[in-house]
Amino acid sequence: WRYRPILPPRDRFWADPFVVEREGRWYIFVEDYRYSDKRGRISVIEMDSKGCWTPARVVLERPYHLSYPFLFEREGELYMIPETLANRSIEAYRCVEFPDRWESAATLMENVNAVDATLLQRDGKWWLFANMVENAGASLMDELYLFWSTDPLGRDWTPHPANPVLSDVRSSRPAGRLFERDGRLFRPSQDSSQLYGYALSLNQVTVLDERRFEEEPWSRIEPNWHPRVMGVHTLNFAGRLTVVDAFYRRSKLRG
């Protein structure tokens, strides 16, 4: 009941919200998909402590589709890894003027079919989670792959020997950054068993090392908390602000 909808103009949808807090304001980065050209770019929405928000403005655009603007910090600088499946790569961008200017920083992987790359820094390593397919035509919902490196901007990513570490349409695909609570590590994931982005699964990671990966279901967020919501897709938070995206039923009539 605490959630307040932020609705996009009718010529587009917003998805995959990631949020950072700076000096008492929140900056929500989203996939900004325009129906006219069927291509996503990354936009930012600013929100103040009262929940008032500014119109979205584009901060990163490429000739190919962008989505899932995963954010992380390294050595005091902010980076973004948007989904670049359309370019068959995993790319990183560095923020050179917050929040509006980003420049290419590195290509982590090339010639891969990967979606929703999500990083975690833990135990002296950077872990990269992503759903991937090895054969054309296979689903991107089913199989979670894991890699590790000592440099999040390098190309030297070691595949986990158990890849794919998870094969389950109900919980494989990433749905936001991993987070810790009370000493436990949680990984949000998508449940697309009924439709794409139907529900969110929160999974507790119980084993994460160079040989094994194990997690177990902990909680779920289903689309039953608002009469217009038909699916829940991504979960992220910063400080007091939690953001989710949802399939939201809207009238075709203006107003």
Side-chain angles (χ1 to χ4, degrees), residues 37-78:
D37 59 12
K38 297 181 173 60
R39 179 165 53 87
R41 59 275 289 161
I42 305 303
S43 291
V44 66
I45 302 166
E46 294 186 33
M47 180 177 289
D48 64 19
S49 60
K50 296 181 180 179
C52 300
W53 52 278
T54 65
R57 62 182 185 271
V58 176
V59 298
L60 182 62
E61 188 166 14
R62 303 292 286 168
Y64 41 86
H65 176 80
L66 301 178
S67 61
Y68 199 82
F70 178 84
L71 302 170
F72 72 99
E73 290 192 12
R74 176 178 179 265
E75 298 178 352
E77 293 192 290
L78 182 65

Side-chain angles (χ1 to χ4, degrees), residues 97-182:
E97 185 177 321
F98 185 81
D100 296 283
R101 289 186 55 218
W102 299 77
E103 66 178 18
S104 178
T107 299
L108 281 60
M109 297 185 191
E110 292 181 309
N111 301 315
V112 292
N113 296 313
V115 293
D116 302 344
T118 302
L119 295 187
L120 171 69
Q121 187 178 19
R122 189 176 178 89
D123 299 330
K125 297 181 178 64
W126 289 84
W127 301 89
L128 188 153
F129 298 79
N131 263 45
M132 305 178 76
V133 295
E134 294 183 342
N135 302 310
S139 171
L140 281 163
M141 309 296 177
D142 296 345
E143 296 192 330
L144 178 67
Y145 284 72
L146 181 59
F147 304 82
W148 67 269
S149 175
T150 56
D151 181 4
L153 300 177
R155 289 176 175 263
D156 186 20
W157 289 93
T158 301
H160 198 282
N163 277 340
V165 294
L166 188 62
S167 297
D168 192 335
V169 71
R170 298 169 298 176
S171 59
S172 289
R173 188 161 170 169
R177 69 173 59 254
L178 287 84
F179 61 93
E180 287 194 19
R181 285 287 173 87
D182 301 323

Side-chain angles (χ1 to χ4, degrees), residues 6 17 19 28 30 52 58 82 90 113 122 127 138-139 149 155 178 181 184 187 195 213 216 221 236 239 247 250:
I6 302 177
V19 58
I28 306 169
V30 297
C52 300
V58 176
I90 299 178
N113 296 313
R122 189 176 178 89
W127 301 89
S139 171
S149 175
R155 289 176 175 263
L178 287 84
R181 285 287 173 87
R184 296 182 294 172
R187 188 182 70 89
L195 58 88
F213 173 79
E216 56 189 31
I221 303 175
N236 282 295
F247 290 110
R250 299 175 73 181

